[in-house]
Amino acid sequence: MPQSRSVSLFTGGIRLIIISQALADLIALARTHGVFARYAPRITLHHAHLAHALGQSTRALTCYAVAVQLTDPATVHSAEAGADADFIHAAALAGGVLLRIGLAHVEEESELPEELIATGHAAAKECRGMGGTLEATGRIVEACLAEEILRSK
């Protein structure tokens, strides 16, 4: 392995350790000041992203699902979930869908489950109009679920 690649892996690992510690500190701070419930959806989404980056797919899927549940407009009052609940809900839904699509590809499944396709279309729809990276994420979900792509598998 070239020197620059090993250094890159080392510094990447250090960053993940620092991020993990920062999330633990954030949880402690939020609990200390009695605002954990308010920030739980965002913290959970950050944990999902970290687990996803570390390749811990089971944990990532669980965290994405919890973040979706904590911000579900059908069950949670908007004041409880916070002002950014729509963003967190769309991001968690899309993250979970994309991870499941990736896992299906790795496991060489011939077809995606209908439930995943339906959830993917819902996630892409929620991402529309959010702007920035979330808008782009929605377009990636749509591309992954395009009929041409699904038929070519």
Side-chain angles (χ1 to χ4, degrees), residues 78-103:
S78 61
E80 295 171 18
D84 54 355
D86 292 342
F87 180 88
I88 294 169
H89 190 263
L93 197 57
V97 165
L98 288 170
L99 178 56
R100 289 176 57 201
I101 289 171
L103 290 172

